[in-house]
Amino acid sequence: MNTINIAILGCGTVGGGVAQIITEINKELVIRSDAKLTLNKIVELNPTIAAERFHLPMELFCGSGKNLSPQEASAYIEDIIKSNEIDIVVETIGGTSDFVHQLCLDIVASGKHLVTANKALLAERGKDIFDVAEKKGVKIGFEAAVCGAIPIVKTVKENLTGDKILSISGIMNGTSNYILSQMQNENLEFDTALKLAQENGYAEADPSLDINGGDAGHKIILLIKLAYGIDVTMEELSMTGIENISKEDMDFANEIDAKIKLICYAKKMNGDIYATVRPMMVKNSNVLSGVNGATNAVRVNCKYSGKHILVGKGAGSSETAMSIVSDIVFISRYGKQIRNIAEKQERNFADANHFVFPYLITFHTADIPGTTGFITTEIGKQDINIDTVSHNRHSGKKATFSVATMPSTIEKIEKAIDNIKKERPNLLLSETKIMPILY
Ligand code: HSE
């Protein structure tokens, strides 16, 4: 039986969970991986805390359990990279710094397999790491980087390899889903729901990436790479967060039998890949509408096998660690036979403004007779077919109503709004909201 030696860099919430699972269920993992899985080295600045939290023996830590300075930790990491004994390095330091980027490049360049949960690094600066891994014939395991415990990476890369993926849609950020669920179910405003998410330990002290769509964006970029074999940058991805969602939007969602969710969406259409991350009105008939709280869910729609839905925990120590351990077992067993990404395809990444969806448009207007007629006429002039118009909510001299369209593009809707502003400059009182409706 082969021996596979593992090093873990960073023994915090995720790295510590990995070490704990590998030591706790080592016997089973050895049988599953057909290799003697040995946790050799852990590099951690504060081993005492990690050892106690994850029930780990001190001798596993470089420096025999004494606290390390960053310089000492770097020297141990360098030794690991140079070592011929280590087969798999788990990077759980996190972040997109030059240090972590170079570290991951060095790991694969040294001929070692890399396993990581670092979605931001792989999505924003991963291209050269994948390229070097490909040249060296080593593997990058990143199941944990996309929706934590949900086995979506292997599902897309391995299990659906006999199919053609038509689209991927999903709720890929638990914090924003928790906030939206609280707003919709408990009738809260955004700020109150965000505060609750922070109090309950869902949102970070700086929750920007969770609420502005960035974290979800990293995940859909990685899934696009797997499903369609193309690289998309964060700058190219059309992304809107949930910061501007209000209680009023929730009322409009209820009116059309929908729930507002931050949806990652990627679709191949006429040879082009369309992708977006934005709040959508998800119809109650779509299973994603019923996914509440911090839960994640991904729906993959395939040409031959139809729709698949995976629901589960997108974050958490043991949950994310489990995905890393699965990658370790998978790499130990199948090694070079695993593909890192999908076959490269011609890169046709389309402008999200041309993405065809039914949309819900919400107007805040001066409460003047003829307004609804004027606005809907301007929409019709852009060849947009209207499905329904809501009743007007009147408040003082203001009125609010929404228009649900048949499939159209944002480009056409924006043209209609521009024309409304030109024709009647004082009619619209605040920014018009445009949200796709997902059936
Ligand atoms: N912060 C993320 C979430 C988990 O709330 O889903 C890590 O990507």
Side-chain angles (χ1 to χ4, degrees), residues 175 194 197-198 201-208 210:
T175 306
L194 170 60
Q198 283 171 317
Y202 292 111
E204 309 285 336
D206 174 10
S208 340
D210 288 320

Side-chain angles (χ1 to χ4, degrees), residues 40-60:
N40 275 64
K41 290 187 190 316
I42 304 175
V43 182
E44 167 58 38
L45 299 178
N46 298 299
T48 320
I49 299 170
E52 200 175 301
R53 179 170 170 202
F54 299 104
H55 315 291
L56 302 169
M58 277 302 189
E59 55 273 19
L60 279 180

Side-chain angles (χ1 to χ4, degrees), residues 117 119 144-148 171-178 202-204 209-210 215-216 218-219 294-296 313-316 320:
K119 60 204 72 99
V146 187
C147 301
I171 296 167
M172 303 191 195
N173 181 272
T175 306
S176 57
N177 201 46
Y178 175 87
Y202 292 111
E204 309 285 336
L209 277 179
D210 288 320
D215 175 77
H218 292 144
K219 294 167 191 169
T295 306
N296 283 198
K313 298 249 168 74
T320 309

Side-chain angles (χ1 to χ4, degrees), residues 14 36 38 58 92 142 158 182 303 316 328 340 342 431:
V14 177
K36 200 162 168 281
T38 311
M58 277 302 189
T92 36
F142 59 100
E158 315 291 344
Q182 288 292 327
K303 182 172 178 182
I328 291 174
N340 273 337
E431 204 170 319

